[in-house]
Amino acid sequence: MVLLFFFFFFQAEDGIRDAQESRGLGDVYKRQVSTQSTGTLRTNMQSRALILVVLAAIASIAAARSAAASHILVASETQCNELKTSIGAAADPVAAFAEAAKEHSTCPSGKQGGSLGTFGPGQMVPEFDKVVFSGELNTVLGPVKTQFGHHLILITERTD
């Protein structure tokens, strides 16, 4: 991040010097313009660098918490409970979850066994987020009701 700042700062200073030289400005005027332009440029570049540092800090905090989960989305709570029971009775619940997602989920992710990949807090609807970032790993959770329907959720990994 710091290297990126210095790269842009020195590129901009070079650009000011090149522009002054190409205009053929006199030495006195050139020094005055250089001091004013460079001072303003430094202030602008420092502000931009500060913004980049703050954004990087925010991104690293958000990246620190993440989860990987799969889900099955269905229309009714009854169907959700039936699927949960059948998945729970299976010898391999994770494989049974993926198969049930392919067969029953109304979400496009069902084709990939319900996998939603990795995501951070706030990327899913609040009801979903609450379960994913507090629920037990490798356990079928739900039904969870959202604006989209009823979900069964399988959290496969989480970093806190």
Side-chain angles (χ1 to χ4, degrees), residues 9-25 30 33-34 37-38 41-42:
F9 178 77
F10 289 117
Q11 287 290 335
E13 273 194 342
D14 289 344
I16 290 172
R17 265 194 298 276
D18 292 346
Q20 290 167 347
E21 288 171 8
S22 68
R23 289 190 205 133
L25 300 174
K30 192 186 290 186
V33 170
S34 176
S37 298
T38 305
L41 180 64
R42 278 196 180 112

Side-chain angles (χ1 to χ4, degrees), residues 63-124:
R65 289 194 74 206
S66 65
S70 297
H71 80 129
I72 300 171
L73 175 63
V74 294
S76 74
E77 186 174 0
T78 304
Q79 185 182 11
C80 219
N81 284 322
E82 290 169 359
L83 288 170
K84 185 175 183 178
T85 302
S86 68
I87 293 167
D92 183 359
V94 174
F97 190 95
E99 284 305 311
K102 288 177 184 175
E103 189 176 330
H104 298 284
S105 186
T106 59
C107 180
S109 68
K111 293 176 184 172
Q112 291 83 37
S115 176
L116 297 169
T118 303
F119 52 90
Q123 289 185 276
M124 302 293 174

